[in-house]
Amino acid sequence: MKNLFSILAVSFFFFSNLNAQKTKKSVLQKLDSQSEKFSDIAMEIWGLAEMGYQEEKSSALLQKTLSDEGFTVKSGIANIPTAFVAEYGSGGPVIAILGEFDALPGLSQQAIPEKKSADGVAGHACGHHLFGTASTAAAISVKNWLKKNKIAGTIRFYGCPAEEGGGAKVYMSREGVFDDVDIALHWHPSSQNAASAAAALANISAKFRFYGVSAHAAGAPEMGRSSLDGVEAMNAMVNMMREHVPQEARIHYVITDGGKAPNVVPDFAEVYYYARHNRRDVVRNIFNRIVKAGEGAALGTGTKMEYELVNGVHELLPNLTLQKLVHDNLSNIGGVSYSEEEKAFADKIAISLGQESANTERAMTVQPFKETARAYGSTDVGDVSFVVPTVGFGTATWVPGTSAHSWQAVAAGGTSIGKKGMMVAAKTLTATAMDLFSNQELIAKAKIEFEERRGSDFVYKPLLGDRPPALDYRK
């Protein structure tokens, strides 16, 4: 009798698992059949190419898409006009899917394998048109599955503007909009498919403004006090400081205003700084030293300095419980296969990158799982990851070898190559959300790891303090 019960238990588990896999396959096939619809949405956003906090049309398009599918939409959250939350269902668990839709300035590009402007002011060089659309597609797919099978829980889409330096998710985290979320899912366009543990650098950015006294640069130079001298003195001191910061640190700046004419002593100048490190406490220290350099520069040049804290983001907190789940789903779904036309496009992109031809096989495969990673960039997803267990991954939306923030990324993101990678992401998000709704033990395990990594005494404090959203940072 005991053996009989054991056989029945094993049989029940086997057939239940088999049925779950069939259901998942059916859901993903339905999602695949809608690829043209979502590709059209992504390409409309690609053409709009709206920069951070200016994404009015892009945000409205995604809001309408979700509203038409039965989601309840709340816009203008966290005092950000283009931020929104779309929700379906009730009760727990609450699974969030993050979506972005901002473009980068100065990277207008046609969807061709040569550098040629589309005559715009910005371009989707980080693929956020694909990001927001794939996440929307996944949220809708999960909603349909929940509704059809009468499964309890809530699926949410978070419309997150201005990831590129505007830090919308930081303000959203500060306002508590993620506080009741159980798990947050996100992804990002890439040149490969990977779901290993990721890393990101904590980052503080600010605009330093120097005020001087105008005068004729030749006729009465002694009457002037150059704000540009203040900026240049500050930059010189910060550049000397580079020798005396941790080697993992990164400091960048651009002079955004250096005066208007050489024969006029400028009474205003501005420099825009980023400071990064893989620990937020180190970033705070480095940034404070940058501020001191600015104060010293003002003192030495007889000018006045003020600074505006623009953004500040945490490093990324990994969660291996969730990461392994996502890796398994991405591996089962697989990568992107190129057509002959796509291969020809990819080869031309590869040549522009200094390669003989494109390694398109890399787009077809999923990278082996790794539990650690080195951080290079920064993202405001970092703040979300310290508020709720968070997991992400990347898919091959660009030609292998392509760097983000390049014209090559914009070009591929406007073609079928980008669309294919987008649908891989949509399916991976969908499959992962289905697993979490179906097995809440995974959620419990992820939360235990989250608390262990974050620390029991952790209190979330945004690096940008209590400043209001920097809605004009791109102006």
Side-chain angles (χ1 to χ4, degrees), residues 48-60 63 76-84 99-105 122 124 128 159-175 178 205 207 272 274 308-313 379-381 383 460 462 464-465 467-475:
L48 291 169
E50 297 170 298
M51 291 183 287
Y53 296 134
Q54 301 172 28
E55 321 96 331
E56 295 177 3
K57 293 179 181 179
S58 302
S59 177
Q63 289 183 52
I77 62 171
N79 297 312
I80 301 171
T82 53
F84 69 95
E100 298 170 8
F101 32 81
D102 64 317
L104 280 157
H124 274 287
H128 292 176
C160 306
E163 186 275 339
E164 299 289 359
K169 296 184 199 69
V170 183
Y171 302 108
M172 294 163 74
S173 298
R174 189 179 69 185
E175 292 298 312
F178 299 108
S205 64
K207 293 181 178 180
Y272 191 179
Y274 275 32
E308 177 189 3
L309 195 64
V310 175
N311 192 18
V313 301
T379 173
D380 56 7
V381 176
D383 285 65
Y460 173 68
L464 48 72
R467 68 147 298 153
L471 301 180
D472 61 350
Y473 84 109
R474 283 297 187 202
K475 295 179 181 178

Side-chain angles (χ1 to χ4, degrees), residues 196-269:
S196 293
L201 299 171
N203 179 4
I204 296 178
S205 64
K207 293 181 178 180
F208 292 83
R209 300 177 179 121
F210 286 79
Y211 301 88
V213 178
S214 291
H216 194 293
E222 73 281 1
M223 301 295 292
R225 296 293 181 270
S226 172
S227 56
L228 181 58
D229 284 352
V231 165
E232 292 188 307
M234 176 182 178
N235 294 344
M237 284 189 280
V238 172
N239 285 330
M240 287 187 286
M241 195 179 90
R242 294 180 191 276
E243 184 182 359
H244 309 290
V245 297
Q247 63 180 0
E248 299 85 2
R250 297 289 184 269
I251 303 171
H252 333 282
Y253 65 83
V254 290
I255 298 174
T256 51
D257 192 333
K260 307 304 179 190
N263 63 338
V264 178
V265 176
D267 63 354
F268 176 78

Side-chain angles (χ1 to χ4, degrees), residues 428-446:
T428 304
L429 289 168
T430 299
T432 302
M434 289 174 67
D435 287 339
L436 292 167
F437 278 113
S438 301
N439 184 359
Q440 295 190 36
E441 289 182 4
L442 286 170
I443 297 175
K445 186 177 178 182

Side-chain angles (χ1 to χ4, degrees), residues 185-206:
L185 310 177
H186 71 102
W187 76 285
H188 202 282
S190 179
S191 61
Q192 63 180 10
N193 308 291
S196 293
L201 299 171
N203 179 4
I204 296 178
S205 64

Side-chain angles (χ1 to χ4, degrees), residues 297-351:
L299 182 64
T301 57
T303 58
K304 177 184 176 183
M305 185 277 289
E306 296 175 351
Y307 72 91
E308 177 189 3
L309 195 64
V310 175
N311 192 18
V313 301
H314 281 51
E315 66 270 30
L316 201 60
L317 188 68
N319 193 296
L320 295 183
T321 300
L322 296 174
Q323 208 66 64
K324 290 173 182 176
L325 172 65
V326 173
H327 175 77
D328 288 345
N329 278 315
L330 179 58
S331 297
N332 289 332
I333 290 163
V336 175
S337 296
Y338 280 36
S339 67
E340 290 303 315
E341 184 179 356
E342 289 165 346
K343 287 179 181 177
F345 177 95
D347 284 340
K348 290 179 180 178
I349 290 290
I351 290 170

